[in-house]
Amino acid sequence: MSRLSATFARLQNEGRQGLVSYVVAGDPSPSGTVGLLHQLVAAGADILEVGVPFSDPMAEGSVIQKGARARAGEWHVIAGCFRHRHRISTR
């Protein structure tokens, strides 16, 4: 069973809905993203979604558009988030 499936199964067994939080990778900064993700988990987030920034996020809301545009083209940001993924996913 994947971690995502396990989380949904746990939520169902607990009889509650889950909190899914979304952030744009690298926003406000690469190290800031990692810290923000830890804070979201501490605040009760059940699932974290980290979005890859891209240059034309037309279908997104204004907050996600701003974060994506600020980091679009900064591929080192995405690589850094993948490098730090284990620091987040093991908690």
Side-chain angles (χ1 to χ4, degrees):
M1 178 181 294
S2 72
R3 291 178 63 168
L4 188 58
S5 295
T7 298
F8 281 121
R10 178 180 52 82
L11 291 168
Q12 186 174 23
N13 288 339
E14 293 173 0
R16 67 182 188 89
Q17 297 176 346
L19 175 62
V20 179
S21 298
Y22 177 90
V23 298
V24 175
D27 194 45
S29 67
S31 62
T33 298
V34 174
L36 178 60
L37 293 171
H38 287 299
Q39 290 175 357
L40 288 168
V41 170
D46 297 293
I47 297 170
L48 300 174
E49 181 180 359
V50 180
V52 175
F54 55 101
S55 61
D56 193 19
M58 293 297 291
E60 304 291 354
S62 62
V63 172
I64 294 173
Q65 285 180 4
K66 184 177 178 182
R69 286 186 180 131
R71 298 296 169 222
E74 295 183 14
W75 298 111
H76 65 280
V77 168
I78 298 167
C81 287
F82 281 114
R83 278 195 307 276
H84 294 297
R85 182 191 64 82
H86 71 280
R87 291 174 45 199
I88 299 153
S89 64
T90 57
R91 287 189 172 204

